[in-house]
């Protein structure tokens, strides 16, 4: 029995010694990891820049199915953030700097362990060279836990390597998998909506839609409003010559709603019109191809665009419904004039004679 006590005491002393040793070590860590993603730089940057996409490639997220993610109205660009919880663990990341198609600076906190992340995106042969540099400081509990798991630097390096590998696979499949179907002529129904209208350069259109759409959805949730349909974008003006577009991000409502004066969200009306509907299943980077295919159908089938109508994109399935871009669904509605109905020519058949023809005197009469 005395021997067991000595053994237990030695184990306890050893544990205390290791704990003291670990606690007195520096809690700082620094890790860098680079790889080539086989996708264009703009696509890679946009994907990483939006926190809602991290669930599809973050190694510490994809393997933890019980994680709860919390997203605010802004999830991309400077000021964007998100948080998560899992079995008592809590994490938070916020973007403090974003230079389009170039770099990101973020700060995170996981149960008291803080870190700063620097992302760098560069064009290279075969795609995009992406580099993550992480510098942080561990709390005591994290130092003890990571000591017995190979150290913090090793763990972070392994997570980065797996995440970048996931990112490459995800983008390679998700960006290339899509379909476009011209559905045919349909009728866009009337109704009411709330909308926010802005103008910008055409090259900034996609980015602004991605920023504004979550804000409109968040506006409905914050004010406990009921959505009467899927969000859509309505084009008010599209001027290619002057690189200028005016568009409205809209959400249908069950009835007409008036917003307080001074708000950038206003009440709107959905005007019915005849249109050609085309469905894109896949990432938004294929939207232009879908528009081109729709217009070719209009030309090939003798329709004419109604320029007085409202050109519309309806977002049936988005990142809020499903994370994989290959499964997003967007409907494109191009206003057209309905074709005039074709009237078949009427043919009148001659009726058969049933009476004998009259007999006339063929002998000419004398003139006086």
């Amino acid at each position: 029995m005395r021997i067991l006590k000595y053994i237990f005491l030695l184990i306890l002393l050893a544990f205390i010694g290791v704990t003291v040793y670990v606690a007195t070590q520096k809690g700082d860590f620094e890790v860098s990891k680079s790889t080539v993603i086989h996708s264009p730089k703009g696509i890679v940057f946009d994907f990483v820049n939006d926190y809602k996409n991290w669930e599809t490639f973050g190694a510490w997220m994809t393997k933890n199915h019980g994680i709860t993610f919390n997203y605010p109205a802004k999830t991309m660009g400077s000021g964007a953030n998100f948080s998560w919880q899992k079995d008592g663990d809590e994490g938070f990341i916020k973007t403090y700097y974003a230079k389009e198609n170039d770099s990101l600076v973020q700060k995170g906190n996981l149960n008291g362990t803080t870190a700063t992340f620097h992302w760098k995106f560069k064009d290279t042969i075969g795609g995009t060279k992406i580099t993550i540099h992480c510098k942080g400081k561990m709390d005591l509990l994290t130092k003890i836990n990571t000591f017995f798991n190979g150290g913090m630097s090793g763990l972070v390096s392994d997570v980065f390597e797996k995440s970048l590998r996931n990112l490459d696979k995800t983008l390679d499949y998700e960006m290339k998998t899509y379909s476009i179907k011209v559905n045919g002529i349909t009728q866009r129904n009337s109704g009411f909506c709330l909308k926010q209208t802005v103008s910008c350069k055409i090259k900034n259109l996609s980015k602004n839609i991605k920023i504004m759409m979550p804000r409109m959805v968040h506006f409905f949730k914050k004010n406990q409003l009921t959505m009467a349909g899927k969000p859509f974008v309505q084009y008010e003006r599209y001027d290619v010559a002057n690189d200028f577009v005016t568009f409205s991000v809209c959400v249908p409502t069950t009835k007409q709603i008036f917003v307080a004066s001074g708000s950038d969200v206003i009440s709107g009306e959905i005007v019915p019109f005849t249109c050609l509907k085309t469905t894109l299943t896949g990432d938004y980077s294929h939207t232009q191809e879908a528009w081109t295919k729709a217009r070719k159908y209009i030309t090939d089938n003798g329709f004419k665009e109604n320029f007085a109508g409202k050109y519309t994109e309806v977002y049936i399935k988005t990142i809020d419904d499903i994370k994989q871009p290959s499964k997003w669904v967007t409907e494109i509605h191009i206003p057209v004039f309905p074709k005039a109905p074709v009237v078949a020519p009427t043919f009148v058949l001659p009726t058969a004679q049933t009476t004998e023809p009259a007999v006339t005197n063929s002998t000419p009469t004398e003139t006086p």
Side-chain angles (χ1 to χ4, degrees):
M1 183 65 72
R2 184 175 294 179
I3 293 176
L4 291 176
K5 289 182 179 179
Y6 285 142
I7 293 174
F8 176 76
L9 182 60
L10 287 173
I11 293 174
L12 180 61
L13 290 174
F15 177 77
I16 293 173
V18 170
T19 303
V20 171
Y21 171 77
V22 173
T24 56
Q25 299 302 302
K26 290 183 177 181
D28 299 336
F29 63 93
E30 190 168 357
V31 178
S32 289
K33 184 66 67 174
S34 296
T35 194
V36 174
I37 306 297
H38 300 89
S39 297
K41 184 172 67 172
I43 289 177
V44 178
F45 177 86
D46 287 344
F47 201 77
V48 175
N49 187 31
D50 191 341
Y51 284 127
K52 287 184 178 179
N53 292 321
W54 284 33
E55 294 181 47
T56 63
F57 70 89
W60 72 99
M61 299 175 183
T62 55
K63 67 179 181 180
N64 289 310
H65 300 294
I67 274 189
T68 300
F69 297 94
N70 303 304
Y71 297 105
K74 185 177 178 63
T75 60
M76 58 185 294
S78 181
N81 66 87
F82 84 114
S83 61
W84 67 93
Q85 295 89 33
K86 169 78 186 301
D87 298 334
D89 292 331
E90 294 186 353
F92 176 83
I93 294 182
K94 183 176 181 178
T95 302
Y96 286 85
Y97 174 82
K99 184 177 180 181
E100 189 172 0
N101 297 335
D102 182 82
S103 54
L104 295 167
V105 178
Q106 302 159 335
K107 291 185 179 181
N109 188 315
L110 176 60
N111 295 333
T113 294
T114 58
T116 300
F117 304 90
H118 293 261
W119 298 75
K120 188 68 177 177
F121 305 82
K122 287 186 176 181
D123 285 318
T124 190
I125 297 176
T128 305
K129 181 181 180 182
I130 183 171
T131 301
I132 312 178
H133 179 81
C134 174
K135 187 175 183 180
K137 190 175 184 64
M138 296 177 285
D139 64 344
L140 176 59
L141 186 59
T142 303
K143 282 197 291 184
I144 295 173
N145 289 335
T146 56
F147 178 80
F148 295 101
N149 290 283
M152 188 65 168
S153 296
L155 290 175
V156 173
S157 180
D158 183 58
V159 167
F160 283 176
E161 183 176 346
K162 291 179 179 178
S163 297
L164 291 174
R165 193 184 310 132
N166 291 343
L167 177 63
D168 189 27
K169 290 181 180 178
T170 298
L171 286 175
D172 185 61
Y173 176 82
E174 295 295 337
M175 296 300 111
K176 294 178 181 179
T177 304
Y178 71 100
S179 65
I180 299 171
K181 180 182 179 181
V182 178
N183 305 99
I185 303 300
T186 187
Q187 186 71 19
R188 180 85 169 140
N189 296 325
S190 62
F192 298 101
C193 66
L194 290 180
K195 64 180 184 178
Q196 184 179 12
T197 304
V198 298
S199 298
C200 66
K201 291 183 178 295
I202 293 176
K203 66 178 182 180
N204 296 326
L205 173 63
S206 178
K207 179 181 70 175
N208 286 332
I209 291 176
K210 289 180 180 179
I211 293 173
M212 293 170 61
M213 190 67 72
R215 289 180 179 175
M216 282 297 295
V217 174
H218 183 74
F219 180 88
F220 269 68
K221 291 180 179 179
K222 180 182 177 181
N223 293 280
Q224 298 181 343
L225 299 173
T226 301
M227 297 173 59
K230 295 297 183 179
F232 62 94
V233 168
Q234 187 170 274
Y235 292 95
E236 316 293 345
R237 179 184 174 189
Y238 201 101
D239 188 344
V240 176
N242 295 299
D243 188 23
F244 183 84
V245 58
T246 299
F247 67 97
S248 299
V249 173
C250 314
V251 177
T253 56
T254 55
K255 59 183 179 180
Q256 190 169 19
I257 298 175
F258 296 98
V259 183
S261 177
S263 173
D264 55 357
V265 176
I266 62 174
S267 178
E269 185 175 356
I270 303 173
V271 179
F273 59 89
T274 301
C275 62
L276 174 72
K277 184 175 82 171
T278 302
T279 301
L280 164 65
T281 302
D283 184 72
Y284 303 131
S285 58
H286 306 292
T287 302
Q288 189 58 52
E289 183 180 344
W291 278 89
T292 301
K293 190 170 184 178
R295 284 200 162 98
K296 184 177 186 301
Y297 180 93
I298 290 173
T299 301
D300 292 346
N301 290 274
F303 289 98
K304 291 185 178 180
E305 292 185 39
N306 180 3
F307 298 110
K310 297 295 184 181
Y311 291 71
T312 306
E313 291 174 358
V314 184
Y315 297 88
I316 305 300
K317 285 187 180 180
T318 67
I319 193 172
D320 292 323
D321 303 303
I322 189 167
K323 297 305 175 185
Q324 295 90 339
S326 61
K327 297 180 180 179
W328 296 346
V329 178
T330 307
E331 289 182 357
I332 295 173
H333 294 171
I334 299 179
V336 295
F337 289 105
K339 285 185 178 180
V342 177
V343 180
T346 303
F347 296 96
V348 180
L349 297 174
T351 58
Q353 292 181 332
T354 57
T355 58
E356 292 293 330
V359 178
T360 60
N361 187 356
S362 59
T363 304
T365 57
E366 293 182 0
T367 58

